[in-house]
Amino acid sequence: DQQVKQNSPSLSVQEGRISILNCDYTNSMFDYFLWYKKYPAEGPTFLISISSIKDKNEDGRFTVFLNKSAKHLSLHIVPSQPGDSAVYFCAANVGGGADGLTFGKGTHLIIQP
Amino acid sequence: GAVVSQHPSRVICKSGTSVKIECRSLDFQATTMFWYRQFPKQSLMLMATSNEGSKATYEQGVEKDKFLINHASLTLSTLTVTSAHPEDSSFYICSARDGAGGGNEQFFGPGTRLTVL
């Protein structure tokens, strides 16, 4: 049972445009959500997180939106750059972030010049 | 800051042998470390939670006698895969949480590619 779902295995975006990566979850106990970027054969790199008490968090080019009623979150990258090409994982946990993470399967973002 | 290292980065071993993987937090103290496993084209799956000075908590379906975890200090956790089989071949990744820093983000190591022949 996949509790965190990333339904788009891949996404292609033109350089300079906005990249929107989506994530849905089923476990209503999740109260902390994170986005990670990962290159092959490397560990994930933390990008941005959001607590369930918020609906938006922004850090530079990255913004995460949380819609609790829809159990949906999204990561916006503006503007998209070639170095953003990677696999992006959505993750969630319970306990305000103290527990282990449940990951989605990832979305491969490809930024085209 | 918040750097986590893993050693070795890759290991090839024969079936039946044991392999130890080290996870270190280099610039912070990690009271809690986590071990994940990623099979090809799959997501990272939490195997166990390791707390300094106490027994690890394993996720359902993960054999604690096969995957031995030791968290002897605030900067080091080890995962030992005992009597390795080819189906244990995977990418093992640890993470650490810098609770003292006030955040709840987990910082990941670079991973260890295990191949069991």
Side-chain angles (χ1 to χ4, degrees):
Chain A
D1 179 31
Q2 194 78 15
Q3 295 188 61
V4 177
K5 300 178 184 179
Q6 292 177 258
N7 292 321
S8 298
S10 66
L11 174 68
S12 183
V13 174
Q14 205 163 14
E15 181 180 357
R17 299 282 183 110
I18 182 172
S19 294
I20 300 176
L21 297 104
N22 294 303
C23 177
D24 297 293
Y25 62 96
T26 58
N27 188 343
S28 58
M29 298 296 291
F30 287 145
D31 58 7
Y32 198 72
F33 304 90
L34 309 91
W35 283 95
Y36 285 86
K37 176 181 178 180
K38 186 179 183 299
Y39 296 111
E42 293 185 9
T45 301
F46 170 74
L47 285 175
I48 193 168
S49 62
I50 188 167
S51 165
S52 60
I53 63 174
K54 295 185 176 181
D55 54 20
K56 177 183 175 181
N57 189 24
E58 192 172 350
D59 184 1
R61 296 187 300 117
F62 303 95
T63 303
V64 55
F65 296 92
L66 175 62
N67 183 334
K68 282 187 295 182
S69 60
K71 293 190 176 68
H72 176 84
L73 64 154
S74 61
L75 173 68
H76 292 211
I77 306 174
V78 180
S80 301
Q81 299 174 353
D84 295 331
S85 295
V87 178
Y88 288 77
F89 286 94
C90 171
N93 65 358
V94 179
D99 288 354
L101 296 170
T102 300
F103 281 85
K105 288 191 174 183
T107 296
H108 186 191
L109 176 64
I110 302 163
I111 304 301
Q112 295 184 333
Chain B
V3 178
V4 176
S5 70
Q6 268 184 255
H7 178 80
S9 58
R10 58 177 61 215
V11 57
I12 301 173
C13 69
K14 292 182 178 179
S15 186
T17 61
S18 295
V19 174
K20 180 187 281 188
I21 303 170
E22 292 186 349
C23 177
R24 293 180 185 272
S25 57
L26 298 185
D27 50 3
F28 66 99
Q29 293 185 328
T31 53
T32 305
M33 289 182 170
F34 304 89
W35 286 95
Y36 296 82
R37 179 168 56 182
Q38 184 184 26
F39 291 108
K41 298 186 179 180
Q42 299 291 318
S43 62
L44 285 79
M45 298 295 293
L46 178 67
M47 297 175 66
T49 301
S50 167
N51 292 298
E52 185 265 338
S54 63
K55 291 183 178 180
T57 303
Y58 291 81
E59 295 299 301
Q60 191 172 12
V62 178
E63 300 175 57
K64 63 179 181 180
D65 294 330
K66 181 170 183 61
F67 298 99
L68 302 179
I69 292 173
N70 185 285
H71 193 159
S73 77
L74 286 171
T75 60
L76 173 65
S77 176
T78 60
L79 167 68
T80 301
V81 182
T82 63
S83 187
H85 289 157
E87 55 264 32
D88 297 325
S89 298
S90 186
F91 192 55
Y92 292 85
I93 312 175
C94 71
S95 73
R97 192 172 68 88
D98 182 8
N104 284 320
E105 298 82 12
Q106 292 181 23
F107 299 95
F108 285 80
T112 297
R113 170 72 60 191
L114 171 63
T115 302
V116 184
L117 302 177

